[in-house]
């Protein structure tokens, strides 16, 4: 069965960096687009970034553009989110999610359990 | 950017009730509309994609309709496990810039 397991969350000071990982199993990882979606405490869902099946296309929400980078290692079935210049408003649970298709422009059919990132001094 | 507006933001209903949630896009998104269910402390779950296609494993009491700018999610007979928050999400943007609605919390009356 499809499994997505995020890791790397924690408490970090404003301005510092953090890298999240998402280990995928149960499907052919290299065939699908992958996303990061976040949810601030008590708030709704916010899409963060997407990467196509082969890593050739990457897109970001305006709120994280130029600070966050998304990447993938298809040989390791792992998705990454590099977060730089973190701000208090980046505090959220971060979910990785699988797209229905290869380009990352459809629906998110499987989600991980999430990892909490807290940006605080 | 395409904005998604859900209504109501919350509702109270009883087991067995028919429940309808609406989602409106700020511009036409054809049928590129998806619905998710989220329970407290859990990840979202895909219910409906492409406006009306039922995701595998989702009970048939759940249905979606609409196209263009106006969409609905309907639960024909609310069950105890349906009390949750529901989100719509558009996937029409090019390049991809997925946006979610603000959510609708379905509570027990």
């Amino acid at each position: 069965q499809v499994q997505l397991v995020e890791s790397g969350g924690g408490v970090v000071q404003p301005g510092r960096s953090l890298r999240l990982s998402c280990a995928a199993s149960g499907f052919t990882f290299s065939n699908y687009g992958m996303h990061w979606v976040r949810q601030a405490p008590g708030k709704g869902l916010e899409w963060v970034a997407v990467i196509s099946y082969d890593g050739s296309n990457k897109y970001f929400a305006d709120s994280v553009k130029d600070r966050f980078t998304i990447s993938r290692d298809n040989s390791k079935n792992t998705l990454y989110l590099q977060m730089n210049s973190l701000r208090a408003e980046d505090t959220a649970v971060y979910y990785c999610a699988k797209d229905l298709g290869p380009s990352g422009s459809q629906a998110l059919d499987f989600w991980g359990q999430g990892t909490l990132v807290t940006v605080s001094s | 950017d395409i904005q998604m507006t859900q209504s109501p933001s919350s509702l109270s209903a009883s087991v067995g009730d028919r429940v309808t949630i609406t989602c409106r896009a700020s511009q036409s998104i054809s049928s590129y509309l998806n619905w998710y269910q989220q329970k407290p402390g859990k990840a979202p779950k895909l219910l409906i994609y492409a406006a009306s296609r039922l995701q595998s494993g989702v009970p048939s009491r759940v249905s979606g309709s609409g196209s263009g700018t106006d969409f609905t999610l309907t639960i024909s007979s609310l069950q105890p496990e349906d009390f949750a928050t529901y989100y719509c999400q558009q996937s029409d943007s090019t390049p991809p810039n997925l946006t979610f609605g603000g959510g609708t919390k379905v509570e027990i009356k």
Side-chain angles (χ1 to χ4, degrees), chain A residues 35 37 39 43-48 50 59-62 95 99-100 103-114, chain B residues 1 32 34 36 38 41-46 48-50 55 87 89 91-93 95-102:
Chain A
H35 301 256
V37 176
Q39 187 168 36
K43 302 298 185 182
L45 300 169
E46 180 188 15
W47 174 77
V48 173
V50 63
Y59 302 100
F60 300 89
D62 288 344
Y95 296 100
D99 197 277
L100 275 174
S103 63
S105 60
Q106 299 185 46
L108 285 62
D109 62 343
F110 288 96
W111 298 61
Q113 84 289 350
Chain B
D1 292 359
Y32 295 103
N34 310 308
Y36 301 85
Q38 187 180 33
K42 300 294 187 182
K45 172 187 173 183
L46 178 64
I48 298 284
Y49 64 99
Q55 172 68 351
Y87 294 92
Q89 172 247 317
S91 55
D92 184 52
S93 304
N97 185 4
L98 283 61
T99 47
F100 289 89

Side-chain angles (χ1 to χ4, degrees), chain A residues 30-82:
Chain A
S30 59
N31 284 356
Y32 295 93
M34 295 293 296
H35 301 256
W36 288 99
V37 176
R38 68 184 181 184
Q39 187 168 36
K43 302 298 185 182
L45 300 169
E46 180 188 15
W47 174 77
V48 173
V50 63
I51 186 168
S52 60
Y53 71 104
D54 61 354
S56 61
N57 293 298
K58 307 173 185 180
Y59 302 100
F60 300 89
D62 288 344
S63 57
V64 306
K65 203 171 293 183
D66 301 326
R67 298 189 299 124
F68 289 12
T69 301
I70 188 171
S71 61
R72 65 191 297 160
D73 186 336
N74 285 346
S75 67
K76 296 182 178 179
N77 289 348
T78 303
L79 174 72
Y80 302 99
L81 184 69
Q82 177 68 42

Side-chain angles (χ1 to χ4, degrees), chain B residues 10-103:
Chain B
S10 66
L11 66 90
S12 296
S14 301
V15 172
D17 284 354
R18 181 182 182 88
V19 168
T20 298
I21 299 168
T22 65
C23 181
R24 175 165 287 177
S26 59
Q27 65 188 67
S28 177
I29 56 170
S30 185
S31 295
Y32 295 103
L33 190 283
N34 310 308
W35 290 98
Y36 301 85
Q37 176 195 64
Q38 187 180 33
K39 296 182 179 179
K42 300 294 187 182
K45 172 187 173 183
L46 178 64
L47 300 176
I48 298 284
Y49 64 99
S52 61
R53 298 188 178 188
L54 196 67
Q55 172 68 351
S56 176
V58 175
S60 58
R61 64 179 180 273
V62 178
S63 63
S65 64
S67 65
T69 60
D70 294 317
F71 302 86
T72 60
L73 176 73
T74 299
I75 304 174
S76 60
S77 177
L78 203 63
Q79 297 302 300
E81 59 268 31
D82 298 332
F83 292 96
T85 300
Y86 294 83
Y87 294 92
C88 63
Q89 172 247 317
Q90 67 83 16
S91 55
D92 184 52
S93 304
T94 302
N97 185 4
L98 283 61
T99 47
F100 289 89

Side-chain angles (χ1 to χ4, degrees), chain A residues 1-50:
Chain A
Q1 71 282 21
V2 173
Q3 276 199 307
L4 298 169
V5 180
E6 301 94 337
S7 60
V11 180
V12 61
Q13 293 179 327
R16 303 298 292 267
S17 299
L18 203 61
R19 188 176 84 156
L20 306 182
S21 300
C22 172
S25 60
F27 66 103
T28 306
F29 182 70
S30 59
N31 284 356
Y32 295 93
M34 295 293 296
H35 301 256
W36 288 99
V37 176
R38 68 184 181 184
Q39 187 168 36
K43 302 298 185 182
L45 300 169
E46 180 188 15
W47 174 77
V48 173
V50 63

